[in-house]
C-alpha cells in the first residue's frame, strides 16, 4: 500500500506544469484588430479567426479570456473549443498558439444600430484586442489591398439612394463625372476619410428642408455628436466647376467645404458645424453662399489668396470651447495671400461681399481679420451686416449660444438678417 501511495504522489508531482506568471508573458496576435465589414449588407452573422501566439520560452496559463462588454456584447467567442462567456485556465505552451473564433451577431436591418459596434477581447494578463463590426445595412466604400491609388473611386452611375454610404477611406469623384445626391442621402466618413471632387468633376447635392443631404462622421454615439475633427473634408479640387450644395448639413470634420484654385461652388440653405479648422475654405476660388449657418468651428470662413466670393443672409457664429485648444483666430479671414515656406501665394481678391450677415463669436479682438498684400487687388465689403469689431458691432442676442441655438431673441438688433431658420 505504501508503494502505491508513493507512486501516485510521484505521478501527480510529475504532471504539475511550472507556468510562468501570466503578467510577465507578452502574447502576440495575428492582427492588431479584428474587423467585420461589408458582410453585414447581406447577412447578420460572420466569423473571423484570431491566432494567439506564445513566443516566449515559458508555458503560461491564462486565468481568463472574455469580452469586455460581457453578455451585452454583439460578439461571441470560441477559445480553443470553449464557448462559455468566460474561458478559464487557458493553457498556452511555450512556442505554441491557440485559435480564437469570433462571431459578430448584427442585425443589418436595424436602422437604429450604430454603423460600428465595438468591443474587446480581454486577456487576464492585461492585454486586449479590439473588435469592430460595421453594423448597418449601408454601402461601404473602401480601398482594396490591390488598389494603387490613395483613394477609392466613387461610381456615380451606380450610386444608390436607398441606403446610407459609409466612406472608410479617401474617395474621389473623378474627372468628367458628376455625383448627384438626392433629398435624404446620408454620407458618413471614418477617421481620415474625405471626398474629393476632381478637376472637371462635379458634385450636385440637392436636399430639402425636411430631408437635407447629410455629410457626417461615422461615429453616431451621443458623445461624438458635437465632436470636431472626426473626418477630413469635402474637397473641391482645382477647376472643379458647377458644384451645387442646397439644403445640406456638413458636420464633425476638420474642414467643411474646401475649394481650391479655379473651383466654383454655390451653397445655400446649409448648416456647417463642429469643424476643427474652418467651416468654409476658399483658395482663389469662386463661392456663392446664401442662407448659411456656420457655427462651432475654429473659424467659420477662410478666404485666401484672392478669388470671387459673395455671401448673403448668413449667420457665422463661433464660440469654440474645446479643452487644449483656445481659439485666437477670427471667425472670418479674408486675405489676398497666404504664407508658404519661403514666401507666399497670392492673387487678386476680386470680391468678398457679405450682405445681411451676422458675424459674431467669443473673440474679444473682433471676428473679422483681413490681409491685403501690395501687388494684388483687394475688395472686401460688409453691407448691412452685424460684425463683432466692425462698424455695426452690437450683440445679436442669440437665444442660447452655449446650446448652439442661434435663433434671435425678440428685440434683437439683427432681426431680419442672418440665417433663416424657417427655410
Amino acid at each position: 500500500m505504501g508503494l502505491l501511495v508513493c507512486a501516485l504522489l510521484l505521478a501527480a508531482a510529475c504532471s504539475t506544469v511550472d507556468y510562468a506568471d501570466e503578467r510577465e508573458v507578452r502574447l502576440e496576435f495575428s492582427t492588431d484588430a479584428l474587423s467585420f465589414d461589408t458582410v453585414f449588407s447581406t447577412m447578420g452573422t460572420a466569423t473571423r479567426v484570431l491566432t494567439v501566439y506564445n513566443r516566449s520560452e515559458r508555458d503560461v496559463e491564462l486565468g481568463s479570456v472574455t469580452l469586455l462588454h460581457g453578455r451585452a456584447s454583439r460578439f461571441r467567442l470560441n477559445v480553443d473549443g470553449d464557448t462559455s462567456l468566460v474561458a478559464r485556465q487557458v493553457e498556452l505552451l511555450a512556442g505554441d498558439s491557440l485559435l480564437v473564433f469570433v462571431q459578430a451577431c448584427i442585425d443589418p436591418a436595424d436602422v437604429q444600430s450604430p454603423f460600428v459596434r465595438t468591443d474587446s477581447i480581454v486577456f487576464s494578463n492585461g492585454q486586449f484586442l479590439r473588435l469592430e463590426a460595421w453594423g448597418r445595412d449601408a454601402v461601404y466604400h473602401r480601398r482594396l489591398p490591390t488598389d494603387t491609388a490613395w483613394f477609392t473611386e466613387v461610381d456615380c452611375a451606380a450610386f444608390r439612394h436607398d441606403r446610407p454610404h459609409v466612406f472608410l477611406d479617401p474617395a474621389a469623384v473623378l474627372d468628367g463625372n458628376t455625383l448627384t445626391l438626392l433629398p435624404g442621402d446620408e454620407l458618413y466618413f471614418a477617421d481620415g476619410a474625405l471626398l474629393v471632387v476632381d478637376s472637371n468633376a462635379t458634385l450636385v447635392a440637392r436636399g430639402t428642408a425636411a430631408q437635407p443631404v447629410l455629410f457626417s462622421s461615422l461615429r453616431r454615439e451621443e458623445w461624438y455628436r458635437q465632436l470636431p475633427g472626426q473626418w477630413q473634408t469635402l474637397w473641391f479640387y482645382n477647376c472643379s466647376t458647377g458644384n451645387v450644395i442646397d439644403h445640406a448639413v456638413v458636420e464633425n470634420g476638420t474642414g467643411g467645404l474646401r475649394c481650391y484654385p479655379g473651383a466654383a461652388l454655390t451653397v445655400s440653405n446649409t448648416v456647417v458645424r463642429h469643424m476643427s479648422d474652418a467651416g468654409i475654405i476658399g483658395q482663389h476660388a469662386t463661392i456663392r453662399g446664401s442662407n448659411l449657418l456656420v457655427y462651432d468651428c475654429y473659424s467659420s470662413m477662410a478666404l485666401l489668396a484672392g478669388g470671387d466670393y459673395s455671401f448673403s443672409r448668413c449667420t457665422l457664429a463661433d464660440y469654440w470651447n474645446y479643452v487644449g485648444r483656445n481659439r485666437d483666430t477670427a471667425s472670418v479671414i479674408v486675405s489676398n495671400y497666404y504664407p508658404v515656406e519661403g514666401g507666399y501665394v497670392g492673387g487678386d481678391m476680386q470680391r468678398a461681399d457679405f450682405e445681411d450677415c451676422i458675424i459674431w463669436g467669443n473673440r474679444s479682438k473682433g471676428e473679422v481679420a483681413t490681409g491685403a498684400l501690395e501687388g494684388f487687388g483687394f475688395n472686401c465689403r460688409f453691407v448691412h451686416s452685424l460684425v463683432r469689431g466692425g462698424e455695426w458691432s452690437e450683440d445679436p442676442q442669440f437665444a442660447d449660444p452655449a446650446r448652439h441655438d442661434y435663433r434671435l431673441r425678440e428685440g434683437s438688433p439683427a432681426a431680419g438678417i442672418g440665417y433663416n431658420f424657417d427655410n
Side-chain angles (χ1 to χ4, degrees):
M1 177 66 70
L3 290 174
L4 177 59
V5 171
C6 289
L8 291 173
L9 291 174
L10 181 60
C14 293
S15 66
T16 301
V17 179
D18 181 20
Y19 291 118
D21 185 335
E22 65 176 340
R23 293 168 297 182
E24 297 178 356
V25 175
R26 183 73 179 175
L27 304 175
E28 295 183 19
F29 307 124
S30 56
T31 182
D32 294 333
L34 215 56
S35 297
F36 303 74
D37 46 30
T38 55
V39 66
F40 294 111
S41 293
T42 55
M43 57 191 298
T45 61
T47 301
R48 299 283 187 269
V49 181
L50 170 70
T51 305
V52 182
Y53 301 96
N54 176 11
R55 301 198 190 279
S56 74
E57 297 179 354
R58 299 286 305 278
D59 300 334
V60 66
E61 184 179 69
L62 298 170
S64 64
V65 180
T66 188
L67 291 165
L68 179 63
H69 293 162
R71 295 188 184 280
S73 178
R74 292 290 182 172
F75 299 88
R76 298 292 180 267
L77 298 183
N78 179 329
V79 183
D80 250 8
D82 189 339
T83 59
S84 56
L85 181 64
V86 182
R88 301 187 185 279
Q89 283 74 56
V90 179
E91 185 182 62
L92 189 51
L93 301 180
D96 204 354
S97 63
L98 67 86
L99 297 179
V100 178
F101 296 87
V102 185
Q103 184 181 64
C105 306
I106 306 290
D107 180 3
D110 182 5
V111 297
Q112 299 302 318
S113 171
F115 282 108
V116 58
R117 292 279 192 177
T118 60
D119 204 342
S120 294
I121 304 175
V122 180
F123 299 84
S124 55
N125 71 334
Q127 292 181 255
F128 65 92
L129 184 118
R130 178 179 170 84
L131 305 174
E132 54 187 27
W134 307 100
R136 276 180 60 184
D137 191 4
V139 179
Y140 292 85
H141 301 260
R142 75 180 317 164
R143 292 180 66 251
L144 300 175
T146 55
D147 289 345
T148 56
W150 59 273
F151 58 84
T152 180
E153 179 182 355
V154 178
D155 187 345
C156 298
F159 196 89
R160 297 184 61 166
H161 301 281
D162 59 339
R163 293 181 183 176
H165 287 255
V166 175
F167 294 84
L168 303 175
D169 296 297
V173 180
L174 294 185
D175 186 350
N177 293 303
T178 297
L179 176 61
T180 300
L181 302 178
L182 304 179
D185 278 350
E186 302 170 62
L187 281 68
Y188 297 95
F189 297 85
D191 182 28
L194 73 160
L195 181 62
V196 177
V197 183
D198 199 8
S199 299
N200 301 312
T202 303
L203 172 68
V204 176
R206 295 189 185 276
T208 64
Q211 291 185 296
V213 176
L214 177 64
F215 303 89
S216 189
S217 60
L218 180 61
R219 303 303 296 267
R220 307 311 296 160
E221 299 93 322
E222 185 63 32
W223 191 81
Y224 292 91
R225 293 292 173 87
Q226 298 178 4
L227 185 68
Q230 296 183 59
W231 58 288
Q232 293 298 310
T233 185
L234 298 181
W235 183 5
F236 299 93
Y237 202 60
N238 300 15
C239 302
S240 168
T241 59
N243 298 293
V244 175
I245 297 179
D246 181 49
H247 285 101
V249 174
V250 186
E251 61 184 13
N252 304 117
T254 299
L257 308 175
R258 181 185 295 270
C259 295
Y260 264 29
L265 169 67
T266 298
V267 54
S268 55
N269 307 308
T270 289
V271 176
V272 181
R273 60 193 178 196
H274 314 313
M275 297 291 165
S276 59
D277 198 344
I280 297 176
I281 303 169
Q283 294 179 337
H284 204 79
T286 298
I287 303 176
R288 300 286 179 264
S290 62
N291 202 44
L292 308 180
L293 174 61
V294 185
Y295 69 87
D296 194 31
C297 301
Y298 194 69
S299 289
S300 285
M301 198 173 292
L303 310 177
L304 308 172
D308 187 351
Y309 311 97
S310 65
F311 298 93
S312 63
R313 287 297 303 262
C314 299
T315 295
L316 313 177
D318 288 316
Y319 290 81
W320 177 273
N321 185 25
Y322 290 91
V323 175
R325 189 185 182 196
N326 295 323
R327 185 175 75 93
D328 192 36
T329 302
S331 180
V332 172
I333 303 167
V334 182
S335 176
N336 60 6
Y337 73 97
Y338 65 88
V340 296
E341 186 177 354
Y344 57 84
V345 174
D348 291 333
M349 184 63 73
Q350 303 171 38
R351 171 174 52 166
D353 285 354
F354 297 83
E355 185 173 356
D356 293 328
C357 294
I358 302 172
I359 304 173
W360 203 262
N362 57 4
R363 184 174 182 265
S364 60
K365 291 184 287 187
E367 291 295 355
V368 171
T370 60
L373 191 67
E374 290 186 9
F376 299 102
F378 185 82
N379 181 14
C380 179
R381 299 187 311 144
F382 298 90
V383 180
H384 195 229
S385 292
L386 192 157
V387 180
R388 180 164 189 171
E391 293 183 5
W392 180 17
S393 181
E394 190 174 357
D395 189 335
Q397 298 180 26
F398 292 130
D400 192 349
R403 296 178 181 271
H404 307 306
D405 185 351
Y406 296 104
R407 291 173 296 178
L408 301 176
R409 296 177 183 173
E410 186 176 353
S412 165
I417 67 172
Y419 179 74
N420 178 10
F421 284 85
D422 299 320
N423 67 320

